[in-house]
């Protein structure tokens, strides 16, 4: 099995590992199949993600995608971050073996579940953005 240099780099030197103290949002998701777990914490200011950290108890692909996903959402507006897909994260890493694509869902879903909690808390769910959260349920289904 061949992993790209980017995957190896983000696995060996993951960015944004840890937990933000007094985070504005946090989300934890698990993959029922393999038992891997990821927690993401976010710092949010004026509708922009100013910091993101993760803790992943999981395989190398889950760690690499968590690292890349947190890099990609930093500096993004909340609605933009919500549109981040696991495919985009995997592409940014130069691709993942098909059998490991499900691992990249962990990062996407942890970000989305953190944002869902934040949107609920701040009453930000609208007719325009609520479909983005429907996807969370679908994805969660696929991941099982
Ligand atoms: Fe569980 Fe990769 S094997 S996330």
């Amino acid at each position: 099995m061949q992993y790209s240099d980017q995957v190896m780099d983000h696995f060996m030197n993951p960015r944004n590992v840890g937990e933000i103290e007094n985070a504005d949002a946090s989300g934890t998701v698990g993959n029922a199949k393999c038992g891997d777990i990821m927690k993401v914490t976010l710092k949010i200011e004026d509708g922009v993600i100013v910091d993101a950290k993760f803790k992943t108890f999981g395989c190398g692909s889950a760690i690499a995608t968590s690292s890349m996903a947190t890099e990609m959402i930093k500096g993004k507006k909340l609605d933009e971050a919500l549109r981040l897909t696991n495919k985009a994260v995997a592409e940014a890493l130069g691709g993942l073996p098909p059998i490991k694509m499900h691992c990249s869902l962990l990062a996407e879903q942890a970000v989305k579940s953190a944002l869902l909690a934040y949107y609920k808390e701040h009453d930000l769910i609208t007719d325009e953005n609520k479909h983005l959260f429907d996807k969370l349920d679908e994805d969660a289904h696929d991941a099982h």
Side-chain angles (χ1 to χ4, degrees):
M1 184 113 3
Q2 204 49 34
Y3 286 104
S4 71
D5 291 347
Q6 295 99 304
V7 171
M8 286 313 290
D9 179 33
H10 277 264
F11 169 56
M12 304 292 269
N13 313 292
R15 313 339 180 231
N16 312 312
V17 174
E19 200 166 334
I20 297 172
E21 261 182 67
N22 303 317
D24 296 302
S26 85
T28 304
V29 292
N31 183 320
K33 218 181 211 166
C34 61
D36 290 352
I37 296 170
M38 176 189 177
K39 178 175 187 181
V40 68
T41 45
L42 305 174
K43 189 98 206 137
I44 297 168
E45 277 169 22
D46 298 328
V48 173
I49 296 175
V50 292
D51 201 9
K53 289 201 186 303
F54 78 91
K55 277 185 177 165
T56 295
F57 183 78
C59 74
S61 298
I63 290 169
T65 48
S66 305
S67 169
M68 180 56 96
T70 47
E71 282 289 272
M72 288 171 84
I73 60 171
K74 277 202 280 183
K76 288 236 160 72
K77 292 201 184 112
L78 302 184
D79 274 18
E80 277 176 304
L82 263 181
R83 290 187 171 84
L84 179 75
T85 63
N86 67 311
K87 286 201 185 86
V89 176
E91 269 166 31
L93 285 168
L96 279 172
I99 197 172
K100 300 304 272 180
M101 271 310 281
H102 77 97
C103 311
S104 64
L105 267 179
L106 214 54
E108 179 194 308
Q109 290 182 357
V111 169
K112 277 191 183 157
S113 82
L115 287 171
L116 177 60
Y118 185 86
Y119 274 55
K120 276 187 180 157
E121 193 184 326
H122 295 266
D123 227 357
L124 294 173
I125 297 180
T126 63
D127 284 347
E128 276 89 70
N129 66 28
K130 69 170 191 274
H131 69 280
L132 294 168
F133 296 109
D134 293 347
K135 183 135 191 316
L136 182 60
D137 293 337
E138 278 171 35
D139 286 350
H141 240 77
D142 288 350
H144 290 178

